[in-house]
């Protein structure tokens, strides 16, 4: 029995950065739209299960369409403490998913992107059994805490980078990589682990302390 539960969050970043294939996704997915991302879903024929945002970037006509087609819509004033994405992720986590995939969170404003990327470190620690990723046409971003992690080769995104999010990443070991490491400390701000590659179909990374962001990319 398949116990995996996927939630796809589509935000309002430039649509050309969102992999178009997701809109024809066949697996059982709960959809969530964030601000202008709601209109992306409706234009693709997908009625999201939930919509959230201040919707300051949608037209009056789009807003009428949103409230007429979607059962659960939460609209907030732009003057709030949380970003729309934070509200979206918190709603998604309440659904007890196994996977959250976030689209439309890159390619636009850098402040929004950085907030979205770094926010993962908070939720990934608190909800360690949920796999949370930020995905666009060129990159897949995830955050990891100490442990041992297997990796599968992905010819579409063959470059693998590890970015320390604090100054205490120690014991980093990379197995099956073009540039291996053994029990290495990687300080905050280091570019040591940028643009690595797997040498085979599977590899492993493990570390003892700290927080690592992993980005899998294509040129």
């Amino acid at each position: 029995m398949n116990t995996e539960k996927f939630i796809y969050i589509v935000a309002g970043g430039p649509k050309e950065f969102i992999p178009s294939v997701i809109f024809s996704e066949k697996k059982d997915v709960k959809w969530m739209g964030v601000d202008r991302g709601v209109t992306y879903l409706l234009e693709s024929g997908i009625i999201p299960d939930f919509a959230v945002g201040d919707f300051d970037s949608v037209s009056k006509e789009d807003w009428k369409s949103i409230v007429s087609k979607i059962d659960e819509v939460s609209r907030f004033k732009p003057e709030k403490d949380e970003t729309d994405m934070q509200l979206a992720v918190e709603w998604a986590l309440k659904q007890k998913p196994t996977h959250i995939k976030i689209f439309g969170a890159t390619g636009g404003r850098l402040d929004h992107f950085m907030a979205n990327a770094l926010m993962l470190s908070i939720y990934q620690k608190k909800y360690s059994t949920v796999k949370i990723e930020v995905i666009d046409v060129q990159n897949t971003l995830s955050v990891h805490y100490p442990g041992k992690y297997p990796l599968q080769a992905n010819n579409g995104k063959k470059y693998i980078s590890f970015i320390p999010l604090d100054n205490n990443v120690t014991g980093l070991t990379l197995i099956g990589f073009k540039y291996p490491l053994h029990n290495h400390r990687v300080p905050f701000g280091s570019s040591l682990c940028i643009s690595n590659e797997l040498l085979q179909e599977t590899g492993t990374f493990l570390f003892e302390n700290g927080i690592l962001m992993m980005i899998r990319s294509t040129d």
Side-chain angles (χ1 to χ4, degrees):
M1 181 178 178
N2 186 2
T3 58
E4 292 186 323
K5 183 177 180 180
F6 289 81
I7 295 181
Y8 285 10
I9 299 175
V10 179
K15 195 173 183 181
E16 62 267 26
F17 287 85
I18 302 175
S20 58
V21 68
I22 72 162
F23 297 115
S24 56
E25 181 62 74
K26 300 300 182 184
K27 67 164 65 85
D28 186 19
V29 171
K30 274 188 175 291
W31 291 91
M32 182 174 189
V34 181
D35 206 72
R36 191 169 61 241
V38 181
T39 63
Y40 296 165
L41 289 171
L42 294 178
E43 289 166 359
S44 300
I46 297 170
I47 306 296
D49 299 274
F50 185 69
V52 66
D54 52 41
F55 297 101
D56 59 350
S57 62
V58 304
S59 67
K60 290 182 179 180
E61 291 73 21
D62 284 338
W63 174 244
K64 288 179 182 178
S65 178
I66 288 168
V67 295
S68 67
K69 293 179 179 179
I70 303 170
D71 291 333
E72 195 170 352
V73 180
S74 289
R75 187 175 194 179
F76 297 87
K77 293 181 178 180
E79 300 80 12
K80 59 187 184 303
D81 293 334
E82 303 87 355
T83 64
D84 292 341
M85 181 58 73
Q86 183 177 350
L87 294 168
V89 171
E90 289 181 354
W91 178 90
L93 287 165
K94 290 177 183 177
Q95 313 310 306
K96 301 185 186 305
T98 56
H99 298 72
I100 296 176
K101 297 190 177 188
I102 301 171
F103 305 92
T106 66
R109 286 175 51 175
L110 280 176
D111 55 346
H112 284 185
F113 166 71
M114 290 298 294
N116 291 336
L118 295 175
M119 178 179 64
L120 263 61
S121 64
I122 298 173
Y123 292 112
Q124 195 63 83
K125 183 176 183 179
K126 188 175 180 181
Y127 298 89
S128 59
T129 60
V130 184
K131 185 175 182 179
I132 310 173
E133 298 174 300
V134 173
I135 301 170
D136 66 19
V137 292
Q138 194 170 2
N139 311 280
T140 297
L141 182 155
S142 55
V143 172
H144 301 269
Y145 282 82
K148 183 176 182 179
Y149 301 90
L151 282 180
Q152 293 288 326
N154 181 340
N155 291 332
K157 295 177 179 176
K158 70 175 184 176
Y159 299 108
I160 304 172
S161 297
F162 297 97
I163 300 171
L165 295 186
D166 65 15
N167 204 36
N168 193 38
V169 174
T170 61
L172 179 61
T173 297
L174 305 179
I175 302 170
F177 284 78
K178 183 177 181 179
Y179 306 108
L181 284 178
H182 178 70
N183 198 29
H184 206 85
R185 178 178 180 270
V186 186
F188 182 74
S190 171
S191 61
L192 174 67
C193 297
I194 297 297
S195 201
N196 211 330
E197 301 176 46
L198 287 176
L199 290 176
Q200 50 203 31
E201 285 301 308
T202 60
T204 302
F205 73 95
L206 58 147
F207 63 108
E208 297 174 355
N209 298 289
I211 311 171
L212 272 181
M213 178 180 291
M214 180 175 69
I215 302 176
R216 306 189 70 165
S217 305
T218 184
D219 277 334

